[in-house]
Amino acid sequence: MKIQALKGFKDILPAESGVWQRIEQTARDVFHRFGFAEIRVPILEKTDLFVRSIGEATDIVEKEMYTFIDRNGVSLSLRPEGTAPVLRAFIEHSLHTLQPVQRLYTIGPMFRHERPQKGRLRQFHQLSVEVLGADHPRLDAEVMAMAWMLLTELGLTVRLEINSLGCPACRPDFKAALENFLADRAGSLCEDCERRRLTNPLRVLDCKSSHCRAQYQTAPAITDYLCPGCADHFAAVEQGLDLLGIPATRNKFMVRGLDYYTRTTFELVTDQLGAQSAVGAGGRYDGLVAQLDGPKLPGIGFGMGMERLALLLTEQVGASAPAGADLYIAALGPAALERGFQMAHVLRGQGVRVSMEHDGKSLKSQMKQAGRLAARYALILGDEELASGQAVLRNMGAGTQDSLALGDNLHDWAAGLVARIAES
Ligand code: ATP
Ligand code: MG
Protein backbone atom coordinates (compact mmCIF):
# COMPACT_ATOMS: atom_id res chain seq x y z
CA MET A 1 0.00 0.00 0.00
CA LYS A 2 1.18 3.49 -0.82
CA ILE A 3 2.31 5.45 2.23
CA GLN A 4 0.35 8.60 2.82
CA ALA A 5 0.54 11.46 5.32
CA LEU A 6 -1.12 10.88 8.68
CA LYS A 7 -4.70 12.02 9.21
CA GLY A 8 -4.67 15.64 10.36
CA PHE A 9 -1.09 16.16 9.14
CA LYS A 10 -0.96 18.30 6.02
CA ASP A 11 1.62 19.08 3.39
CA ILE A 12 1.91 22.75 2.59
CA LEU A 13 2.47 22.63 -1.14
CA PRO A 14 4.42 25.20 -3.21
CA ALA A 15 1.16 26.76 -4.43
CA GLU A 16 0.22 27.55 -0.81
CA SER A 17 3.60 28.35 0.68
CA GLY A 18 3.59 31.92 -0.65
CA VAL A 19 0.68 32.73 1.66
CA TRP A 20 2.54 31.14 4.58
CA GLN A 21 5.66 33.14 3.85
CA ARG A 22 3.62 36.33 3.68
CA ILE A 23 2.13 35.58 7.12
CA GLU A 24 5.50 34.73 8.61
CA GLN A 25 7.33 37.73 7.15
CA THR A 26 4.63 40.17 8.19
CA ALA A 27 4.56 38.67 11.68
CA ARG A 28 8.33 38.92 12.14
CA ASP A 29 8.30 42.45 10.85
CA VAL A 30 5.51 43.59 13.19
CA PHE A 31 6.93 41.72 16.21
CA HIS A 32 10.37 43.27 15.70
CA ARG A 33 8.82 46.74 15.60
CA PHE A 34 7.38 46.03 19.05
CA GLY A 35 10.78 44.97 20.39
CA PHE A 36 10.30 41.19 20.32
CA ALA A 37 13.13 38.73 19.70
CA GLU A 38 12.79 35.22 18.33
CA ILE A 39 13.41 32.18 20.49
CA ARG A 40 13.43 28.67 18.98
CA VAL A 41 12.60 25.84 21.32
CA PRO A 42 12.34 22.04 20.91
CA ILE A 43 9.19 20.33 19.69
CA LEU A 44 9.49 17.51 22.23
CA GLU A 45 9.44 18.09 26.00
CA LYS A 46 8.83 16.09 29.16
CA THR A 47 5.10 15.45 29.55
CA ASP A 48 5.27 16.91 33.06
CA LEU A 49 5.96 20.38 31.68
CA PHE A 50 2.55 20.47 29.99
CA VAL A 51 0.69 18.78 32.83
CA ARG A 52 2.05 21.34 35.28
CA SER A 53 1.42 24.38 33.09
CA ILE A 54 -1.66 23.73 30.95
CA GLY A 55 -3.37 21.80 33.76
CA GLU A 56 -4.36 18.20 34.36
CA ALA A 57 -8.11 18.69 33.90
CA THR A 58 -7.95 20.46 30.55
CA ASP A 59 -9.01 19.05 27.19
CA ILE A 60 -5.46 19.41 25.90
CA VAL A 61 -3.83 17.35 28.65
CA GLU A 62 -6.74 14.93 29.13
CA LYS A 63 -7.22 13.91 25.53
CA GLU A 64 -5.25 15.86 22.95
CA MET A 65 -1.55 15.31 23.61
CA TYR A 66 0.76 13.08 21.59
CA THR A 67 2.48 11.34 24.48
CA PHE A 68 4.80 8.36 24.43
CA ILE A 69 7.40 6.65 26.57
CA ASP A 70 10.91 6.92 25.12
CA ARG A 71 13.66 4.26 25.26
CA ASN A 72 14.69 5.41 28.74
CA GLY A 73 11.19 5.06 30.13
CA VAL A 74 10.54 8.82 30.29
CA SER A 75 7.15 10.20 29.28
CA LEU A 76 7.54 12.74 26.49
CA SER A 77 4.98 14.82 24.60
CA LEU A 78 4.97 16.73 21.36
CA ARG A 79 4.27 20.31 22.34
CA PRO A 80 0.56 21.19 22.07
CA GLU A 81 1.24 24.93 22.49
CA GLY A 82 4.17 27.32 22.68
CA THR A 83 4.02 29.01 26.08
CA ALA A 84 5.21 26.10 28.24
CA PRO A 85 8.41 25.37 26.24
CA VAL A 86 9.29 29.07 25.99
CA LEU A 87 8.83 29.50 29.74
CA ARG A 88 10.87 26.37 30.40
CA ALA A 89 13.70 27.85 28.33
CA PHE A 90 13.29 31.28 29.96
CA ILE A 91 13.68 29.70 33.40
CA GLU A 92 16.41 27.26 32.41
CA HIS A 93 18.60 30.05 30.99
CA SER A 94 17.63 32.69 33.59
CA LEU A 95 16.81 35.09 30.77
CA HIS A 96 15.38 37.62 33.24
CA THR A 97 18.91 38.26 34.53
CA LEU A 98 19.92 39.56 31.09
CA GLN A 99 16.93 41.85 30.62
CA PRO A 100 14.23 42.38 33.25
CA VAL A 101 11.43 42.33 30.69
CA GLN A 102 11.68 39.71 27.97
CA ARG A 103 9.65 40.03 24.78
CA LEU A 104 9.82 36.69 22.98
CA TYR A 105 8.17 35.03 20.01
CA THR A 106 8.45 31.65 18.39
CA ILE A 107 6.97 30.25 15.19
CA GLY A 108 6.42 26.58 14.51
CA PRO A 109 4.37 23.41 14.63
CA MET A 110 2.16 22.30 17.54
CA PHE A 111 0.46 18.92 17.93
CA ARG A 112 -3.00 18.04 19.25
CA HIS A 113 -4.90 14.82 18.69
CA GLU A 114 -8.25 16.37 17.72
CA ARG A 115 -10.84 15.53 15.09
CA PRO A 116 -9.47 17.11 11.91
CA GLN A 117 -11.71 19.65 10.18
CA LYS A 118 -11.27 22.78 8.11
CA GLY A 119 -8.91 24.93 10.18
CA ARG A 120 -8.36 22.17 12.75
CA LEU A 121 -5.34 19.94 12.21
CA ARG A 122 -3.36 17.52 14.36
CA GLN A 123 -0.14 19.21 13.37
CA PHE A 124 -0.85 22.92 13.12
CA HIS A 125 1.34 25.99 13.32
CA GLN A 126 1.34 28.93 15.67
CA LEU A 127 2.84 32.34 16.00
CA SER A 128 3.41 32.30 19.73
CA VAL A 129 4.21 35.47 21.67
CA GLU A 130 5.17 36.01 25.32
CA VAL A 131 6.16 39.00 27.47
CA LEU A 132 7.73 38.03 30.79
CA GLY A 133 8.51 40.25 33.74
CA ALA A 134 5.92 43.04 33.53
CA ASP A 135 2.29 43.33 34.57
CA HIS A 136 1.26 46.84 33.62
CA PRO A 137 -2.25 46.88 32.11
CA ARG A 138 -0.94 49.00 29.22
CA LEU A 139 1.27 46.06 28.31
CA ASP A 140 -1.85 43.89 27.93
CA ALA A 141 -3.29 46.53 25.61
CA GLU A 142 0.02 46.78 23.71
CA VAL A 143 0.19 43.01 23.15
CA MET A 144 -3.37 42.97 21.82
CA ALA A 145 -2.60 46.02 19.68
CA MET A 146 0.36 44.14 18.19
CA ALA A 147 -1.85 41.18 17.26
CA TRP A 148 -4.33 43.66 15.81
CA MET A 149 -1.63 45.42 13.77
CA LEU A 150 -0.45 42.10 12.33
CA LEU A 151 -3.95 41.16 11.23
CA THR A 152 -4.54 44.64 9.83
CA GLU A 153 -1.31 44.57 7.84
CA LEU A 154 -2.27 41.19 6.43
CA GLY A 155 -5.51 42.82 5.33
CA LEU A 156 -7.70 40.73 7.63
CA THR A 157 -10.80 41.82 9.51
CA VAL A 158 -11.57 40.05 12.79
CA ARG A 159 -13.20 40.86 16.14
CA LEU A 160 -11.29 41.30 19.39
CA GLU A 161 -13.10 39.91 22.44
CA ILE A 162 -11.78 40.40 25.95
CA ASN A 163 -12.52 39.21 29.44
CA SER A 164 -10.86 39.02 32.84
CA LEU A 165 -10.51 35.75 34.72
CA GLY A 166 -9.54 37.42 37.99
CA CYS A 167 -6.80 36.13 40.25
CA PRO A 168 -6.42 33.50 43.00
CA ALA A 169 -7.98 36.03 45.38
CA CYS A 170 -11.25 36.61 43.53
CA ARG A 171 -11.72 33.57 41.35
CA PRO A 172 -12.78 31.17 44.16
CA ASP A 173 -15.88 33.31 44.92
CA PHE A 174 -16.85 33.27 41.30
CA LYS A 175 -16.15 29.56 41.05
CA ALA A 176 -18.42 28.87 44.03
CA ALA A 177 -21.24 30.95 42.53
CA LEU A 178 -20.84 29.14 39.21
CA GLU A 179 -20.81 25.74 40.92
CA ASN A 180 -24.11 26.59 42.64
CA PHE A 181 -25.59 27.75 39.36
CA LEU A 182 -24.50 24.50 37.69
CA ALA A 183 -25.67 22.30 40.57
CA ASP A 184 -29.20 23.67 40.01
CA ARG A 185 -28.96 22.53 36.39
CA ALA A 186 -27.38 19.11 36.99
CA GLY A 187 -28.84 16.51 34.65
CA SER A 188 -29.76 19.01 31.94
CA LEU A 189 -26.21 19.69 30.70
CA CYS A 190 -24.25 17.91 27.99
CA GLU A 191 -22.03 14.98 28.95
CA ASP A 192 -18.86 17.09 28.83
CA CYS A 193 -20.35 19.83 31.00
CA GLU A 194 -21.64 17.33 33.57
CA ARG A 195 -18.05 16.17 33.92
CA ARG A 196 -16.51 19.66 33.84
CA ARG A 197 -19.06 20.83 36.41
CA LEU A 198 -17.16 18.72 38.95
CA THR A 199 -13.59 18.79 37.58
CA ASN A 200 -13.15 22.26 36.10
CA PRO A 201 -16.41 24.28 36.28
CA LEU A 202 -15.10 27.41 34.50
CA ARG A 203 -14.65 25.36 31.37
CA VAL A 204 -18.41 24.86 30.92
CA LEU A 205 -18.80 28.50 29.87
CA ASP A 206 -17.26 28.05 26.45
CA CYS A 207 -19.13 24.81 25.71
CA LYS A 208 -19.96 24.58 22.01
CA SER A 209 -23.39 22.90 22.54
CA SER A 210 -26.22 25.34 21.82
CA HIS A 211 -28.39 23.70 24.50
CA CYS A 212 -25.74 24.40 27.16
CA ARG A 213 -24.99 27.86 25.81
CA ALA A 214 -28.64 28.88 26.06
CA GLN A 215 -28.71 27.88 29.72
CA TYR A 216 -25.49 29.76 30.50
CA GLN A 217 -26.91 33.09 29.34
CA THR A 218 -27.99 33.70 32.94
CA ALA A 219 -24.83 32.28 34.54
CA PRO A 220 -22.87 34.53 36.90
CA ALA A 221 -20.30 36.74 35.14
CA ILE A 222 -16.73 36.69 36.41
CA THR A 223 -16.41 40.42 35.87
CA ASP A 224 -18.99 40.92 38.67
CA TYR A 225 -16.72 39.06 41.09
CA LEU A 226 -13.37 40.74 40.43
CA CYS A 227 -11.40 42.01 43.44
CA PRO A 228 -10.53 45.74 43.36
CA GLY A 229 -7.02 45.06 41.97
CA CYS A 230 -8.35 42.93 39.12
CA ALA A 231 -11.22 45.30 38.40
CA ASP A 232 -8.81 48.26 38.15
CA HIS A 233 -6.49 46.27 35.94
CA PHE A 234 -9.31 45.31 33.58
CA ALA A 235 -10.56 48.92 33.38
CA ALA A 236 -7.04 50.12 32.58
CA VAL A 237 -6.66 47.49 29.85
CA GLU A 238 -9.88 48.69 28.23
CA GLN A 239 -8.72 52.28 28.52
CA GLY A 240 -5.36 51.36 26.97
CA LEU A 241 -7.08 49.74 23.98
CA ASP A 242 -9.24 52.83 23.67
CA LEU A 243 -6.17 55.10 23.63
CA LEU A 244 -4.81 53.13 20.67
CA GLY A 245 -8.13 53.01 18.87
CA ILE A 246 -8.39 49.21 19.03
CA PRO A 247 -12.05 48.16 19.17
CA ALA A 248 -12.74 45.39 21.68
CA THR A 249 -15.93 43.86 23.01
CA ARG A 250 -16.39 42.11 26.35
CA ASN A 251 -17.26 38.42 26.29
CA LYS A 252 -18.09 37.13 29.76
CA PHE A 253 -18.12 33.52 28.53
CA MET A 254 -14.52 33.48 27.39
CA VAL A 255 -12.59 31.31 29.84
CA ARG A 256 -9.89 29.78 27.62
CA GLY A 257 -8.88 26.12 27.61
CA LEU A 258 -5.73 26.38 29.71
CA ASP A 259 -5.69 26.62 33.48
CA TYR A 260 -2.84 29.08 33.77
CA TYR A 261 -4.61 32.30 32.80
CA THR A 262 -5.16 35.15 35.28
CA ARG A 263 -6.79 38.53 34.70
CA THR A 264 -6.86 39.55 31.03
CA THR A 265 -7.85 36.99 28.39
CA PHE A 266 -8.64 37.70 24.76
CA GLU A 267 -9.58 36.07 21.49
CA LEU A 268 -9.46 37.23 17.91
CA VAL A 269 -12.51 35.76 16.25
CA THR A 270 -14.10 35.51 12.83
CA ASP A 271 -17.42 34.17 11.53
CA GLN A 272 -15.80 33.00 8.32
CA LEU A 273 -14.27 29.71 9.48
CA GLY A 274 -17.31 27.86 10.86
CA ALA A 275 -16.72 26.29 14.27
CA GLN A 276 -13.02 27.18 14.05
CA SER A 277 -13.80 30.78 14.95
CA ALA A 278 -10.67 31.68 16.94
CA VAL A 279 -7.78 32.93 14.82
CA GLY A 280 -5.76 33.76 17.89
CA ALA A 281 -6.11 33.74 21.64
CA GLY A 282 -4.15 34.55 24.72
CA GLY A 283 -4.00 36.21 28.08
CA ARG A 284 -2.10 36.99 31.22
CA TYR A 285 -0.56 34.22 33.33
CA ASP A 286 0.96 35.89 36.37
CA GLY A 287 1.49 32.73 38.43
CA LEU A 288 2.82 30.43 35.75
CA VAL A 289 6.57 31.13 35.82
CA ALA A 290 6.69 30.52 39.58
CA GLN A 291 4.49 27.44 39.17
CA LEU A 292 7.20 26.01 36.90
CA ASP A 293 9.79 26.68 39.64
CA GLY A 294 11.01 29.88 38.02
CA PRO A 295 11.27 33.37 39.53
CA LYS A 296 8.06 35.02 40.68
CA LEU A 297 7.45 37.00 37.50
CA PRO A 298 4.25 37.89 35.68
CA GLY A 299 3.62 37.13 32.02
CA ILE A 300 1.24 37.59 29.13
CA GLY A 301 1.08 36.02 25.69
CA PHE A 302 -0.96 34.77 22.78
CA GLY A 303 -0.99 32.10 20.12
CA MET A 304 -2.20 32.64 16.57
CA GLY A 305 -3.12 29.73 14.34
CA MET A 306 -1.36 29.99 10.99
CA GLU A 307 -3.66 27.52 9.18
CA ARG A 308 -6.61 29.71 10.10
CA LEU A 309 -4.75 32.86 9.08
CA ALA A 310 -3.92 31.24 5.72
CA LEU A 311 -7.56 30.22 5.18
CA LEU A 312 -8.79 33.70 6.05
CA LEU A 313 -6.19 35.33 3.84
CA THR A 314 -7.26 33.23 0.89
CA GLU A 315 -10.91 33.99 1.65
CA GLN A 316 -10.69 37.71 2.47
CA VAL A 317 -7.74 38.86 0.39
CA GLY A 318 -7.26 36.20 -2.31
CA ALA A 319 -4.29 33.95 -2.98
CA SER A 320 -1.04 35.59 -3.95
CA ALA A 321 0.51 35.32 -7.41
CA PRO A 322 2.86 32.39 -8.12
CA ALA A 323 6.48 32.88 -7.10
CA GLY A 324 7.49 33.41 -10.74
CA ALA A 325 10.87 34.35 -12.17
CA ASP A 326 12.46 37.58 -13.35
CA LEU A 327 14.11 35.96 -16.31
CA TYR A 328 13.74 32.74 -18.25
CA ILE A 329 16.75 31.80 -20.38
CA ALA A 330 15.68 29.88 -23.49
CA ALA A 331 18.88 28.44 -24.94
CA LEU A 332 19.07 26.53 -28.23
CA GLY A 333 22.12 24.54 -29.25
CA PRO A 334 25.12 23.25 -27.27
CA ALA A 335 27.16 26.49 -27.18
CA ALA A 336 24.10 28.55 -26.16
CA LEU A 337 23.20 26.03 -23.46
CA GLU A 338 26.72 26.26 -22.07
CA ARG A 339 26.73 30.06 -22.11
CA GLY A 340 23.18 30.23 -20.69
CA PHE A 341 24.27 27.97 -17.83
CA GLN A 342 26.98 30.48 -16.88
CA MET A 343 24.69 33.48 -17.40
CA ALA A 344 22.05 32.05 -15.08
CA HIS A 345 24.64 31.53 -12.35
CA VAL A 346 26.12 35.03 -12.62
CA LEU A 347 22.67 36.69 -12.77
CA ARG A 348 21.48 34.73 -9.73
CA GLY A 349 24.58 35.97 -7.92
CA GLN A 350 23.42 39.48 -8.75
CA GLY A 351 19.99 38.96 -7.23
CA VAL A 352 17.95 37.99 -10.29
CA ARG A 353 15.47 35.10 -10.10
CA VAL A 354 16.51 33.07 -13.14
CA SER A 355 15.05 29.90 -14.51
CA MET A 356 16.36 27.68 -17.32
CA GLU A 357 16.35 24.05 -18.46
CA HIS A 358 19.44 22.21 -19.59
CA ASP A 359 18.09 19.85 -22.22
CA GLY A 360 17.69 22.25 -25.13
CA LYS A 361 14.03 21.61 -25.98
CA SER A 362 12.35 23.49 -28.82
CA LEU A 363 11.93 27.25 -28.51
CA LYS A 364 8.17 26.76 -28.41
CA SER A 365 8.40 24.37 -25.47
CA GLN A 366 10.83 26.62 -23.60
CA MET A 367 8.64 29.69 -24.09
CA LYS A 368 5.68 27.69 -22.80
CA GLN A 369 7.67 26.97 -19.65
CA ALA A 370 8.53 30.69 -19.32
CA GLY A 371 4.78 31.37 -19.44
CA ARG A 372 4.01 28.74 -16.78
CA LEU A 373 6.51 30.39 -14.46
CA ALA A 374 5.04 33.84 -15.16
CA ALA A 375 8.57 35.01 -15.99
CA ARG A 376 8.81 38.77 -16.55
CA TYR A 377 11.45 38.46 -19.27
CA ALA A 378 12.79 35.76 -21.55
CA LEU A 379 16.30 35.79 -22.95
CA ILE A 380 16.41 33.87 -26.21
CA LEU A 381 19.83 32.61 -27.07
CA GLY A 382 20.78 30.38 -30.04
CA ASP A 383 24.20 29.25 -31.24
CA GLU A 384 23.91 31.63 -34.20
CA GLU A 385 23.06 34.62 -32.01
CA LEU A 386 25.92 33.72 -29.76
CA ALA A 387 28.33 33.66 -32.71
CA SER A 388 27.17 37.15 -33.77
CA GLY A 389 27.29 38.45 -30.16
CA GLN A 390 23.53 39.07 -29.94
CA ALA A 391 20.57 37.65 -28.04
CA VAL A 392 16.88 38.55 -27.91
CA LEU A 393 15.30 39.96 -24.75
CA ARG A 394 11.55 39.59 -24.68
CA ASN A 395 9.33 41.48 -22.25
CA MET A 396 6.75 38.80 -21.54
CA GLY A 397 4.06 41.10 -20.16
CA ALA A 398 4.24 43.71 -22.93
CA GLY A 399 4.93 41.16 -25.68
CA THR A 400 7.76 43.35 -27.06
CA GLN A 401 11.33 42.31 -27.80
CA ASP A 402 14.75 43.86 -28.47
CA SER A 403 18.11 42.53 -29.45
CA LEU A 404 20.68 42.56 -26.72
CA ALA A 405 24.45 42.72 -27.23
CA LEU A 406 26.36 40.04 -25.35
CA GLY A 407 29.83 41.58 -24.83
CA ASP A 408 32.96 39.83 -23.57
CA ASN A 409 32.71 40.19 -19.82
CA LEU A 410 29.89 38.12 -18.37
CA HIS A 411 29.71 40.05 -15.08
CA ASP A 412 29.51 43.46 -16.78
CA TRP A 413 26.95 42.14 -19.20
CA ALA A 414 24.88 40.75 -16.32
CA ALA A 415 25.06 44.06 -14.44
CA GLY A 416 23.76 45.84 -17.54
CA LEU A 417 20.87 43.40 -17.82
CA VAL A 418 20.06 43.77 -14.12
CA ALA A 419 19.81 47.56 -14.55
CA ARG A 420 17.67 47.16 -17.62
CA ILE A 421 15.09 44.79 -16.14
CA ALA A 422 15.00 46.77 -12.89
CA GLU A 423 13.80 49.85 -14.80
CA SER A 424 10.39 48.40 -15.51
P1 ATP B 1 -10.26 26.07 19.61
O1 ATP B 1 -11.28 26.64 20.53
O2 ATP B 1 -10.52 26.40 18.17
O3 ATP B 1 -10.00 24.62 19.84
P2 ATP B 1 -8.08 26.70 21.35
O4 ATP B 1 -8.69 27.56 22.38
O5 ATP B 1 -7.88 25.27 21.66
O6 ATP B 1 -8.88 26.83 19.97
P3 ATP B 1 -5.47 27.86 21.72
O7 ATP B 1 -4.95 26.77 22.56
O8 ATP B 1 -5.80 29.14 22.36
O9 ATP B 1 -6.71 27.34 20.86
O10 ATP B 1 -4.45 28.14 20.51
C1 ATP B 1 -4.33 29.41 19.89
C2 ATP B 1 -4.72 29.37 18.44
O11 ATP B 1 -4.15 28.25 17.79
C3 ATP B 1 -6.21 29.20 18.20
O12 ATP B 1 -6.86 30.42 18.29
C4 ATP B 1 -6.24 28.64 16.80
O13 ATP B 1 -6.13 29.68 15.83
C5 ATP B 1 -5.01 27.79 16.76
N1 ATP B 1 -5.34 26.37 16.96
C6 ATP B 1 -5.56 25.72 18.11
N2 ATP B 1 -5.79 24.41 17.90
C7 ATP B 1 -5.69 24.23 16.55
C8 ATP B 1 -5.80 23.09 15.68
N3 ATP B 1 -6.03 21.88 16.16
N4 ATP B 1 -5.62 23.28 14.36
C9 ATP B 1 -5.37 24.50 13.85
N5 ATP B 1 -5.25 25.60 14.61
C10 ATP B 1 -5.40 25.48 15.95
MG1 MG C 1 -8.89 23.49 21.22
Side-chain angles (χ1 to χ4, degrees):
M1 208 176 60
K2 238 192 291 173
I3 298 176
Q4 297 192 319
L6 298 171
K7 193 176 162 202
F9 289 66
K10 205 174 149 292
D11 301 307
I12 297 162
L13 299 174
E16 304 160 85
S17 59
V19 169
W20 282 75
Q21 285 163 10
R22 176 141 57 107
I23 293 169
E24 213 176 296
Q25 275 157 15
T26 312
R28 286 178 192 283
D29 188 50
V30 171
F31 296 167
H32 294 164
R33 275 183 259 156
F34 280 78
F36 283 73
E38 185 176 20
I39 179 167
R40 301 190 188 198
V41 288
I43 284 166
L44 201 58
E45 298 272 1
K46 287 194 179 144
T47 302
D48 262 0
L49 173 66
F50 303 112
V51 175
R52 282 175 57 190
S53 56
I54 298 169
E56 200 132 24
T58 55
D59 283 356
I60 295 179
V61 170
E62 268 179 354
K63 51 190 186 194
E64 294 176 358
M65 286 215 292
Y66 279 88
T67 299
F68 66 95
I69 307 294
D70 83 348
R71 290 168 198 276
N72 301 326
V74 186
S75 178
L76 305 179
S77 295
L78 288 170
R79 63 184 189 192
E81 55 105 48
T83 300
V86 168
L87 262 56
R88 199 252 327 120
F90 168 85
I91 296 166
E92 191 168 328
H93 303 284
S94 300
L95 293 185
H96 64 288
T97 59
L98 305 175
Q99 181 80 257
V101 179
Q102 290 277 331
R103 292 175 172 236
L104 306 169
Y105 76 89
T106 194
I107 302 179
M110 308 293 161
F111 303 83
R112 296 185 196 177
H113 199 283
E114 313 193 63
R115 195 167 64 79
Q117 296 161 67
K118 183 182 177 188
R120 189 175 297 285
L121 280 294
R122 289 181 173 174
Q123 174 176 329
F124 63 101
H125 299 76
Q126 272 187 359
L127 307 166
S128 187
V129 166
E130 325 292 339
V131 183
L132 299 162
D135 63 359
H136 199 286
R138 284 223 174 116
L139 175 64
D140 305 25
E142 190 188 342
V143 166
M144 286 185 256
M146 180 170 82
W148 190 260
M149 191 177 285
L150 167 58
L151 294 165
T152 306
E153 291 192 9
L154 286 171
L156 300 177
T157 310
V158 300
R159 267 191 333 274
L160 172 61
E161 296 186 350
I162 59 172
N163 195 17
S164 173
L165 292 188
C167 67
C170 51
R171 205 183 306 173
D173 283 349
F174 169 68
K175 205 170 148 194
L178 183 63
E179 275 165 350
N180 284 336
F181 172 88
L182 293 171
D184 291 344
R185 283 155 188 82
S188 70
L189 307 175
C190 76
E191 207 180 299
D192 277 341
C193 282
E194 288 292 349
R195 186 172 43 83
R196 290 177 189 138
R197 187 168 76 76
L198 305 168
T199 59
N200 197 354
L202 259 65
R203 293 289 309 155
V204 305
L205 292 178
D206 70 351
C207 178
K208 305 275 192 294
S209 137
S210 53
H211 178 70
C212 288
R213 286 189 95 97
Q215 300 195 66
Y216 300 150
Q217 288 303 318
T218 54
I222 177 117
T223 39
D224 293 333
Y225 286 80
L226 298 179
C227 64
C230 287
D232 287 350
H233 187 95
F234 194 39
V237 172
E238 287 190 312
Q239 195 212 17
L241 286 168
D242 214 43
L243 283 170
L244 303 182
I246 313 290
T249 51
R250 283 191 180 198
N251 175 358
K252 66 171 183 170
F253 295 121
M254 190 211 304
V255 290
R256 311 287 311 116
L258 306 91
D259 278 354
Y260 53 58
Y261 287 116
T262 53
R263 294 193 162 171
T264 316
T265 53
F266 59 97
E267 282 192 2
L268 295 145
V269 289
T270 170
D271 301 322
Q272 286 174 283
L273 297 176
Q276 280 55 256
S277 58
V279 177
R284 182 161 278 294
Y285 45 78
D286 289 344
L288 186 57
V289 181
Q291 193 178 309
L292 293 172
D293 297 327
K296 217 170 158 293
L297 290 173
I300 180 169
F302 67 80
M304 255 195 219
M306 297 178 75
E307 278 75 10
R308 294 184 195 176
L309 286 176
L311 281 169
L312 263 193
L313 255 184
T314 314
E315 224 147 284
Q316 291 188 356
V317 186
S320 57
D326 297 315
L327 183 73
Y328 185 88
I329 299 181
L332 298 151
L337 280 161
E338 190 178 288
R339 184 61 174 262
F341 182 54
Q342 292 176 302
M343 285 172 163
H345 187 70
V346 171
L347 283 163
R348 285 169 178 154
Q350 297 190 16
V352 185
R353 296 175 305 161
V354 185
S355 196
M356 90 169 266
E357 256 76 46
H358 303 292
D359 29 35
K361 293 213 179 94
S362 71
L363 181 62
K364 191 173 159 206
S365 133
Q366 295 197 52
M367 292 310 283
K368 203 165 144 194
Q369 178 61 9
R372 269 192 221 112
L373 291 170
R376 291 168 53 222
Y377 287 88
L379 182 75
I380 303 162
L381 188 65
D383 283 354
E384 274 171 39
E385 282 94 343
L386 197 60
S388 65
Q390 295 288 325
V392 172
L393 183 67
R394 173 185 273 265
N395 182 328
M396 299 292 283
T400 54
Q401 61 184 45
D402 284 313
S403 75
L404 183 75
L406 291 177
D408 304 328
N409 184 302
L410 194 52
H411 286 87
D412 293 347
W413 171 82
L417 182 56
V418 170
R420 179 146 171 201
I421 66 178
E423 278 166 20
S424 52

